């Protein structure tokens, strides 16, 4: 049995490393419950199906921040607060309209969210009385950040936020320069609900880790954005669209089955499929699949849905792997005219509600998050001077 003299670390006590913390339960939470075997997702007591059919994104924000749904006065107050907080500090707007137009939208979003801390007079105070108003402010500002940069990079006039309307309505208005139709607003609102919260995913774990050092909510959100950006996580939706557009190059009769099998044969990961927890169809995907079918037909892009189903059936038969939340969201966003490199920004616009909900939960019962690592390197080597190495 070997024991590390420095730390009294007995390797026999830790013979197995859970790579990727697979299966490790590190927290208790009231924010969400996932049953990966049956494909169940609950946000603070309400199933994702109940919320998808009845709630608005603003009600889901309140639910994740308070562990209960708002009454009508509370909902009206939250909506008013979110509207009031949509405006960006001038310095942030100046950054968004002067940075490199070719910059990656998620990188610009991450920088802009980080800058918001400069304009919060309470910055540096780790005070639970402040977290709710900070969560509201960041949630309200992210849509304005995304839309303002996108308008600027396309040489269009930046549009000021509305002083009315839902988060979804205002975002589409600021992005497109015209008021969205009811269907487009409902589609965006439902996408925001479906992406809001998902337990201990990589970006939420990141958000909690930053909170646990008693840093600040802006740093927590900025770090989480960095984690979400990766193609194995939130970046997958943009990667899914790239895959579908690759198929499109082969024409409307492209063979998505052969395309998928070839990628698998090359040991490539097919973006939008697989999940660390779900071992069946992601329940969020069901709602997105319905929207993708309807919207792709409405917009004359039914081949996107046909290819998606061919890929889905091939992944199931070849690898017994199901689609995750990112797979059909790509077709939905494409069908409502959103540019693929904005898809993960939209994921962020929604998940900020879950991240900040977890931030408040972590802060309320905090302990520094600090796992161990099994040292497998050399020990006690003799010093060799540089001219002898
Ligand atoms: C999100 O955690 C969350 O909750 C995340 C999320 C949320 O709401 O926050 O749900 C959002 O991030 C969804 C996931 C988006 N990512 C992708 O679509 C990228 C593609 N998917 C894979 O990279 C993968 O499925 C992960 C990263 C999502 C999960 O990976 P795991 O749990 O580490 O599983 P693994 O990579 O060890 O794969 C197990 C097996 C492997 O086969 P073998 O090598 O054992 O033969 O399944 C295969 C993998 O090769 N596999 C895939 C695959 N996913 C898994 N093979 C091809 N294509 C895939 N997509």
């Amino acid at each position: 049995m070997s024991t590390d003299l420095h730390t009294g670390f007995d390797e026999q006590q830790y013979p197995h490393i859970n790579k990727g913390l697979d299966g490790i339960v590190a927290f208790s939470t009231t924010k969400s419950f996932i049953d990966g075997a049956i494909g169940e997702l609950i946000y603070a007591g309400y199933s994702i199906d109940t919320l998808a059919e009845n709630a608005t994104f603003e009600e889901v924000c309140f639910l994740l921040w308070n562990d209960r749904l708002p009454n009508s006065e509370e909902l009206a107050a939250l909506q008013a607060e979110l509207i009031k907080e949509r405006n960006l500090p001038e310095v942030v707007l100046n950054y968004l309209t002067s940075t490199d137009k070719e910059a990656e939208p998620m990188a610009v979003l991450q920088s802009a969210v980080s800058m918001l801390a400069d304009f919060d007079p309470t910055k540096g105070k780790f005070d639970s009385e402040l977290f709710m108003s900070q969560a509201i402010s960041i949630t309200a500002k992210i849509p304005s950040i995304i839309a303002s940069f996108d308008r600027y990079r396309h040489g269009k006039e930046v549009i000021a936020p509305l002083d009315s309307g839902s988060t979804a309505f205002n975002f589409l208005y600021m992005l497109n320069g015209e008021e969205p139709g009811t269907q487009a607003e409902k589609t965006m609102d439902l996408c925001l609900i479906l992406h809001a919260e998902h337990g201990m995913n990589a970006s939420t774990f990141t958000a909690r880790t930053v909170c646990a050092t008693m840093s600040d909510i802006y740093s927590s959100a900025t770090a989480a954005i960095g984690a979400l950006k990766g193609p194995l996580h939130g970046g997958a939706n943009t990667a899914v669209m790239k895959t579908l557009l690759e198929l499109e190059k082969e024409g409307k009769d492209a063979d998505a089955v052969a395309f998928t099998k070839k990628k698998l044969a090359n040991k490539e990961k097919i973006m939008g499929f697989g999940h660390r927890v779900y071992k069946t169809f992601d329940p969020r995907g069901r709602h997105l699949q319905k929207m993708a079918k309807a919207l792709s037909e409405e917009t004359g892009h039914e081949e996107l849905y046909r290819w998606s189903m061919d890929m889905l059936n091939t992944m199931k038969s070849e690898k017994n792997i199901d689609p995750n939340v990112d797979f059909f969201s790509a077709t939905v966003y494409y069908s409502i005219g959103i540019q693929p490199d904005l898809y993960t920004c939209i994921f962020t616009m929604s998940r900020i509600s879950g991240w900040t909900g977890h931030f408040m939960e972590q802060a309320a019962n905090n302990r520094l998050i600090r796992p161990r690592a099994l040292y497998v390197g050399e020990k006690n080597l003799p010093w060799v001077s540089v001219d002898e190495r």
Side-chain angles (χ1 to χ4, degrees), residues 98-120:
S98 60
T99 192
D100 180 356
K101 291 184 176 176
E102 299 305 314
E104 193 192 8
M106 275 296 274
V108 171
L109 176 56
Q110 189 176 32
S111 303
V113 168
S114 180
M115 287 172 77
L116 294 178
D118 298 353
F119 307 94
D120 178 340

Short mmCIF file of all heavy atoms in Angstrom, two decimals, residues 98-120:
data_model
loop_
_atom_site.label_atom_id
_atom_site.label_comp_id
_atom_site.label_asym_id
_atom_site.label_seq_id
_atom_site.Cartn_x
_atom_site.Cartn_y
_atom_site.Cartn_z
N SER A 98 -18.27 48.19 -31.09
CA SER A 98 -16.95 48.59 -31.60
C SER A 98 -15.98 47.42 -31.65
O SER A 98 -14.91 47.50 -32.22
CB SER A 98 -16.34 49.69 -30.70
OG SER A 98 -16.21 49.17 -29.37
N THR A 99 -16.38 46.29 -31.10
CA THR A 99 -15.47 45.13 -31.11
C THR A 99 -15.43 44.54 -32.52
O THR A 99 -16.13 44.98 -33.42
CB THR A 99 -15.90 44.08 -30.08
OG1 THR A 99 -14.84 43.12 -29.94
CG2 THR A 99 -17.17 43.34 -30.48
N ASP A 100 -14.63 43.51 -32.72
CA ASP A 100 -14.45 42.88 -34.03
C ASP A 100 -15.77 42.24 -34.50
O ASP A 100 -16.32 41.39 -33.81
CB ASP A 100 -13.35 41.82 -33.91
CG ASP A 100 -13.10 41.12 -35.24
OD1 ASP A 100 -13.84 41.40 -36.22
OD2 ASP A 100 -12.18 40.27 -35.30
N LYS A 101 -16.24 42.63 -35.67
CA LYS A 101 -17.53 42.11 -36.16
C LYS A 101 -17.45 40.60 -36.42
O LYS A 101 -18.45 39.91 -36.48
CB LYS A 101 -17.95 42.84 -37.46
CG LYS A 101 -18.31 44.27 -37.24
CD LYS A 101 -18.82 44.94 -38.51
CE LYS A 101 -19.25 46.37 -38.20
NZ LYS A 101 -19.67 47.12 -39.40
N GLU A 102 -16.21 40.11 -36.58
CA GLU A 102 -16.04 38.66 -36.84
C GLU A 102 -15.89 37.88 -35.53
O GLU A 102 -15.68 36.67 -35.54
CB GLU A 102 -14.79 38.42 -37.70
CG GLU A 102 -14.83 39.10 -39.06
CD GLU A 102 -16.08 38.71 -39.86
OE1 GLU A 102 -16.38 37.50 -39.90
OE2 GLU A 102 -16.77 39.60 -40.40
N ALA A 103 -15.96 38.59 -34.41
CA ALA A 103 -15.77 37.91 -33.12
C ALA A 103 -16.85 36.86 -32.90
O ALA A 103 -17.97 36.97 -33.43
CB ALA A 103 -15.79 38.93 -31.99
N GLU A 104 -16.53 35.83 -32.14
CA GLU A 104 -17.49 34.75 -31.86
C GLU A 104 -18.56 35.27 -30.88
O GLU A 104 -18.19 35.78 -29.80
CB GLU A 104 -16.74 33.57 -31.24
CG GLU A 104 -17.49 32.29 -31.18
CD GLU A 104 -16.78 31.25 -30.28
OE1 GLU A 104 -15.80 31.60 -29.62
OE2 GLU A 104 -17.25 30.11 -30.26
N PRO A 105 -19.83 35.20 -31.21
CA PRO A 105 -20.87 35.77 -30.35
C PRO A 105 -20.80 35.31 -28.89
O PRO A 105 -20.99 36.10 -27.97
CB PRO A 105 -22.16 35.32 -31.02
CG PRO A 105 -21.80 35.19 -32.47
CD PRO A 105 -20.39 34.68 -32.48
N MET A 106 -20.46 34.03 -28.65
CA MET A 106 -20.39 33.56 -27.25
C MET A 106 -19.22 34.23 -26.51
O MET A 106 -19.31 34.52 -25.32
CB MET A 106 -20.24 32.04 -27.19
CG MET A 106 -21.54 31.30 -27.27
SD MET A 106 -22.64 31.62 -25.86
CE MET A 106 -22.02 30.41 -24.69
N ALA A 107 -18.13 34.52 -27.23
CA ALA A 107 -16.99 35.19 -26.59
C ALA A 107 -17.36 36.63 -26.26
O ALA A 107 -17.05 37.14 -25.18
CB ALA A 107 -15.78 35.13 -27.51
N VAL A 108 -18.09 37.28 -27.18
CA VAL A 108 -18.53 38.66 -26.95
C VAL A 108 -19.52 38.70 -25.78
O VAL A 108 -19.43 39.54 -24.88
CB VAL A 108 -19.17 39.23 -28.23
CG1 VAL A 108 -19.84 40.57 -27.96
CG2 VAL A 108 -18.14 39.33 -29.35
N LEU A 109 -20.42 37.74 -25.75
CA LEU A 109 -21.41 37.66 -24.66
C LEU A 109 -20.70 37.48 -23.32
O LEU A 109 -21.01 38.14 -22.33
CB LEU A 109 -22.38 36.51 -24.93
CG LEU A 109 -23.43 36.21 -23.85
CD1 LEU A 109 -24.29 37.42 -23.54
CD2 LEU A 109 -24.32 35.04 -24.30
N GLN A 110 -19.70 36.60 -23.31
CA GLN A 110 -18.96 36.34 -22.06
C GLN A 110 -18.26 37.61 -21.57
O GLN A 110 -18.32 37.96 -20.40
CB GLN A 110 -17.93 35.23 -22.32
CG GLN A 110 -17.25 34.72 -21.08
CD GLN A 110 -16.31 33.57 -21.38
OE1 GLN A 110 -15.71 33.50 -22.45
NE2 GLN A 110 -16.18 32.65 -20.44
N SER A 111 -17.64 38.34 -22.51
CA SER A 111 -16.94 39.59 -22.13
C SER A 111 -17.94 40.62 -21.62
O SER A 111 -17.71 41.26 -20.59
CB SER A 111 -16.19 40.15 -23.34
OG SER A 111 -15.30 39.21 -23.84
N ALA A 112 -19.06 40.75 -22.30
CA ALA A 112 -20.05 41.77 -21.92
C ALA A 112 -20.66 41.47 -20.56
O ALA A 112 -20.83 42.37 -19.73
CB ALA A 112 -21.14 41.86 -22.99
N VAL A 113 -20.97 40.19 -20.30
CA VAL A 113 -21.53 39.84 -18.98
C VAL A 113 -20.52 40.14 -17.89
O VAL A 113 -20.86 40.67 -16.82
CB VAL A 113 -21.98 38.36 -18.95
CG1 VAL A 113 -22.30 37.90 -17.52
CG2 VAL A 113 -23.20 38.15 -19.85
N SER A 114 -19.26 39.86 -18.18
CA SER A 114 -18.22 40.15 -17.19
C SER A 114 -18.13 41.65 -16.91
O SER A 114 -17.98 42.08 -15.76
CB SER A 114 -16.88 39.64 -17.73
OG SER A 114 -15.86 39.89 -16.80
N MET A 115 -18.31 42.46 -17.94
CA MET A 115 -18.25 43.92 -17.78
C MET A 115 -19.39 44.47 -16.93
O MET A 115 -19.26 45.51 -16.29
CB MET A 115 -18.31 44.60 -19.17
CG MET A 115 -17.06 44.46 -19.99
SD MET A 115 -17.34 45.10 -21.66
CE MET A 115 -17.26 46.86 -21.37
N LEU A 116 -20.51 43.74 -16.89
CA LEU A 116 -21.66 44.25 -16.12
C LEU A 116 -21.29 44.48 -14.65
O LEU A 116 -21.83 45.35 -13.98
CB LEU A 116 -22.84 43.27 -16.21
CG LEU A 116 -23.49 43.10 -17.58
CD1 LEU A 116 -24.61 42.04 -17.51
CD2 LEU A 116 -24.04 44.42 -18.11
N ALA A 117 -20.31 43.69 -14.17
CA ALA A 117 -19.91 43.84 -12.75
C ALA A 117 -19.40 45.24 -12.46
O ALA A 117 -19.59 45.79 -11.38
CB ALA A 117 -18.83 42.81 -12.43
N ASP A 118 -18.76 45.85 -13.48
CA ASP A 118 -18.17 47.19 -13.26
C ASP A 118 -19.25 48.21 -12.89
O ASP A 118 -18.95 49.23 -12.29
CB ASP A 118 -17.49 47.70 -14.56
CG ASP A 118 -16.35 46.80 -14.98
OD1 ASP A 118 -16.01 45.87 -14.21
OD2 ASP A 118 -15.82 47.00 -16.09
N PHE A 119 -20.49 47.94 -13.27
CA PHE A 119 -21.55 48.95 -13.09
C PHE A 119 -22.53 48.57 -12.00
O PHE A 119 -23.63 49.10 -11.91
CB PHE A 119 -22.25 49.18 -14.44
CG PHE A 119 -21.27 49.51 -15.52
CD1 PHE A 119 -20.75 48.50 -16.34
CD2 PHE A 119 -20.76 50.79 -15.64
CE1 PHE A 119 -19.79 48.78 -17.29
CE2 PHE A 119 -19.80 51.09 -16.59
CZ PHE A 119 -19.31 50.09 -17.42
N ASP A 120 -22.12 47.59 -11.19
CA ASP A 120 -22.98 47.21 -10.06
C ASP A 120 -22.35 47.80 -8.79
O ASP A 120 -21.30 47.35 -8.34
CB ASP A 120 -23.04 45.67 -9.95
CG ASP A 120 -23.89 45.23 -8.77
OD1 ASP A 120 -24.10 46.04 -7.85
OD2 ASP A 120 -24.34 44.07 -8.78
#
